[in-house]
Amino acid sequence: MSTQWLILVAAIWLQSISGTNTNFPAYSSQLKHILSMSQLQLNNLAFASDAGKILACFSAVAAAHLPLWLTLLIGSSIGMIGYGLQFILLTKLHLRSSTPFWLVFILTVVAGNSICWINTVCYILTIQNFPLDIQLSLGLSTSYQGLSAKIYGDLVEVAYANSSSNEKARGYLLLNSILPLIVCIIVAPLVARSSNAADSSSSGGGSSYSCSKKLSTGFVAIFLITIVTGTYAVVTSSLGYSIISSSRYTQLIGIGVLVILLPIMVPLVEKIRENVQHKCWIRQRKVGSFPADEQGSETLASSVENGNGALALSVETSAQKPGEKNDVTVEIGPKLMLQKLDFWIYFFVYMFGATIGLVYLNNLGQIVESRGHSRTTCLVSLSSSFCFFGRLIPCVLEYYSTRAKYMSSRAGAMAMMMAPMTGAFFILLINNNICLHISTAIIGLSTGAISSIAVSTTTELFGAKGFGINHNIVIINIPIGSFIFGEMAAVLYRRNGSANDAGKCMGMKCYQTSFIIWGSLCCLGTLLALILHSRNKRFL
């Protein structure tokens, strides 16, 4: 049992550093200046980072045929190559002046693809170790990816405190290349151990996982730690960086304690509790008495294993209430999935929701600049922190919906999160810094929530067996939407730009039309989510 909690902590660490593309807005303006790019070229780089997801299926295939620890190291090595070569190109002046744009574009695609490898391993590990609490465990672990921009921002502000903006841009690329590789090397032995344990369990060794109607103490502890971490991130991001330089170190130390030290305490406490319970079990066995639910727990634990070692969802029909649906997940392969109308509705729901939110966040640096706001890093950290909280929302819905008389489908939950995002885009039409902060927070919150809900929605609609390939097909909408909506925004930006300042645009006119289009499409996505909900009224 303690090993499973250790795996969840490892997934938290991996997700915390895997969102390397989320800090792109923090240095995009400097990158544009260093490489003398146009706004259209800069937007193509933002698209390139998302375009790496087109090749995400390779990570799913690798995870199915290679050890997970090796898949993890391959992914982090790909990221090191993509970001590392970009760092070298920006550092060497003679290379920078002669570097063709297509080379930077390809390296960005490679770097963006590395994220898919790390995410795929995290998803598979979490589903394998917590098959009866998929949404809860996935929500807790993936929420930390929303914190990546905050973590990288704090590291850069400390390491490059007295450096220029261009030096900080290089710092982001350097950290993006080496930090994921370091963390992946640290957790690789644990991933290998977990994979071996899963293999031995599938061959008849049994599973130690048991399900309870009551939320386990481990989930409660990690959930509380996550809430404290998110609150700390939001408060420090909202207040910005203090005039006192030492506060940067304080913020970095604080986030390090909350992300690294506190979560690791949960497996340690669970290990101690497990040893105590084992001693009590031995004592009870000697006197011939056993807990009433022990045999039932072992039976339920063994029921979640299938013949080939993959863990699948199961339903205990004996506990089913009268009139309640028997939620048996149907396994659907990629070919059949592409033929279903539900897939295409779901595809466009994701595109008009989370993908548009990501396009906004990718353009945040230019949006902030066009409004004459200088605190780009603060707003990027703010969006990252609220994205972190957004990814926690499905956990809360999962916990309370299991106790409610009526439980919405996950498509319905996505519709609930897309509605406020629609309003946020129209609030951006108001020329006010407070509205900019509020809208950025709402968009970050909704984007994080939809991204987290989507992981379980794929499982709910098409099953868990082919999740790796199915979900990587679904997220192809991200590079497609990023290209279409981002290019549109870049063209409108250039049209409103000044010819005397290399096409640079200042004022509300730069993104006004883009906000209207994005808000309208988000409204359409909300309606599509409601249609998907009506077609699949499954319980959470």
Side-chain angles (χ1 to χ4, degrees):
M1 177 66 77
S2 58
T3 302
Q4 291 170 320
W5 296 111
L6 199 56
I7 285 295
L8 185 58
V9 173
I12 286 173
W13 291 347
L14 290 171
Q15 293 288 342
S16 298
I17 49 84
S18 68
T20 49
N21 61 333
T22 59
N23 58 45
F24 177 79
Y27 63 90
S28 59
S29 296
Q30 289 74 34
L31 197 64
K32 177 182 177 182
H33 172 72
I34 294 173
L35 297 178
S36 301
M37 295 186 300
S38 66
Q39 179 62 30
L40 193 60
Q41 288 178 316
L42 182 64
N43 188 79
N44 286 337
L45 279 189
F47 157 71
S49 180
D50 295 329
K53 294 180 175 64
I54 296 177
L55 306 174
C57 289
F58 287 104
S59 63
V61 173
H65 295 87
L66 296 176
L68 289 180
W69 65 268
L70 182 57
T71 305
L72 190 64
L73 293 181
I74 291 175
S76 58
S77 299
I78 291 174
M80 183 188 67
I81 294 172
Y83 286 115
L85 290 179
Q86 287 185 68
F87 170 76
I88 295 174
L89 292 176
L90 264 64
T91 303
K92 305 298 181 180
L93 182 61
H94 64 284
L95 293 176
R96 187 194 318 163
S97 58
S98 60
T99 301
F101 175 77
W102 63 264
L103 178 58
V104 180
F105 183 90
I106 291 176
L107 291 175
T108 305
V109 172
V110 171
N113 179 251
S114 66
I115 301 172
C116 302
W117 292 69
I118 299 175
N119 287 345
T120 298
V121 172
C122 289
Y123 295 157
I124 293 175
L125 283 174
T126 306
I127 290 173
Q128 284 182 346
N129 284 273
F130 298 94
L132 303 180
D133 288 302
I134 291 179
Q135 179 63 77
L136 191 58
S137 54
L138 281 176
L140 286 171
S141 59
T142 58
S143 64
Y144 280 82
Q145 190 179 76
L147 207 61
S148 290
K150 168 68 175 173
I151 293 173
Y152 282 97
D154 287 348
L155 285 170
V156 169
E157 288 296 328
V158 169
Y160 296 86
N162 300 317
S163 303
S164 64
S165 298
N166 291 346
E167 286 295 326
K168 290 182 178 180
R170 298 186 187 97
Y172 274 107
L173 290 173
L174 179 61
L175 282 174
N176 285 350
S177 64
I178 62 174
L179 187 58
L181 180 62
I182 293 173
V183 176
C184 287
I185 291 175
I186 292 174
V187 303
L190 180 61
V191 173
R193 178 183 175 185
S194 173
S195 300
N196 293 334
D199 291 339
S200 62
S201 175
S202 64
S203 62
S207 173
S208 62
Y209 188 88
S210 61
C211 177
S212 174
K213 294 295 182 182
K214 183 179 179 181
L215 195 63
S216 70
T217 55
F219 277 127
V220 171
I222 292 182
F223 187 78
L224 291 177
I225 292 171
T226 305
I227 291 294
V228 173
T229 304
T231 303
Y232 177 83
V234 168
V235 171
T236 54
S237 299
S238 300
L239 295 178
Y241 294 104
S242 174
I243 299 177
I244 305 175
S245 59
S246 61
S247 67
R248 298 191 180 101
Y249 293 94
T250 302
Q251 290 187 36
L252 183 60
I253 293 172
I255 204 72
V257 170
L258 291 170
V259 174
I260 299 175
L261 296 182
L262 286 186
I264 199 64
M265 296 300 295
V266 176
L268 294 177
V269 173
E270 287 293 325
K271 182 64 177 178
I272 295 173
R273 190 170 67 89
E274 184 179 327
N275 291 337
V276 172
Q277 288 180 344
H278 181 66
K279 291 179 180 179
C280 293
W281 181 83
I282 293 176
R283 245 186 256 114
Q284 290 168 345
R285 185 176 181 180
K286 288 180 180 179
V287 298
S289 60
F290 296 91
D293 62 342
E294 183 178 331
Q295 185 175 359
S297 297
E298 292 178 356
T299 303
L300 180 58
S302 62
S303 68
V304 299
E305 297 180 48
N306 58 21
N308 60 1
L311 292 171
L313 295 176
S314 62
V315 178
E316 194 173 4
T317 56
S318 60
Q320 187 177 344
K321 296 179 181 179
E324 191 177 54
K325 282 192 177 183
N326 187 1
D327 188 11
V328 180
T329 303
V330 179
E331 299 294 343
I332 298 176
K335 292 183 180 179
L336 182 58
M337 181 183 71
L338 292 172
Q339 300 174 16
K340 287 189 167 292
L341 178 61
D342 284 349
F343 166 77
W344 293 106
I345 297 176
Y346 175 38
F347 187 87
F348 286 106
V349 166
Y350 200 125
M351 180 183 287
F352 295 156
T355 299
I356 287 182
L358 290 174
V359 172
Y360 170 80
L361 297 177
N362 285 338
N363 285 272
L364 186 57
Q366 304 304 305
I367 293 171
V368 172
E369 182 185 61
S370 67
R371 292 187 176 224
H373 200 327
S374 59
R375 298 174 67 187
T376 304
T377 303
C378 176
L379 273 168
V380 172
S381 295
L382 182 68
S383 65
S384 174
S385 302
F386 273 91
C387 183
F388 173 85
F389 261 123
R391 290 174 180 267
L392 279 180
I393 290 177
C395 299
V396 179
L397 293 176
E398 174 80 5
Y399 176 66
Y400 284 104
S401 64
T402 54
R403 289 152 179 78
K405 294 181 179 179
Y406 173 76
M407 294 172 281
S408 174
S409 69
R410 291 187 173 96
M414 293 176 75
M416 290 170 55
M417 297 311 306
M418 291 174 69
M421 185 190 292
T422 301
F425 281 117
F426 291 110
I427 293 176
L428 284 168
L429 298 175
I430 303 174
N431 189 9
N432 186 287
N433 284 338
I434 296 178
C435 292
L436 175 62
H437 281 74
I438 293 174
S439 296
T440 300
I442 293 174
I443 293 172
L445 185 79
S446 299
T447 301
I450 296 168
S451 300
S452 180
I453 295 171
V455 176
S456 295
T457 304
T458 303
T459 304
E460 180 183 76
L461 294 176
F462 312 114
K465 187 176 181 180
F467 167 80
I469 296 178
N470 288 348
H471 192 66
N472 281 319
I473 291 175
V474 171
I475 63 174
I476 290 177
N477 80 85
I478 296 178
I480 295 175
S482 177
F483 177 78
I484 296 174
F485 307 137
E487 289 291 308
M488 176 207 67
V491 169
L492 293 172
Y493 178 94
R494 185 175 59 180
R495 181 182 299 174
N496 293 313
S498 172
N500 299 326
D501 196 10
K504 186 176 181 179
C505 182
M506 298 296 294
M508 291 292 296
K509 60 184 180 180
C510 303
Y511 284 94
Q512 187 173 26
T513 306
S514 297
F515 293 151
I516 294 174
I517 295 174
W518 292 345
S520 301
L521 289 174
C522 194
C523 182
L524 175 60
T526 305
L527 295 176
L528 289 176
L530 292 174
I531 293 173
L532 186 62
H533 164 69
S534 65
R535 289 174 56 87
N536 298 273
K537 292 183 178 179
R538 295 182 181 179
F539 295 100
L540 281 170

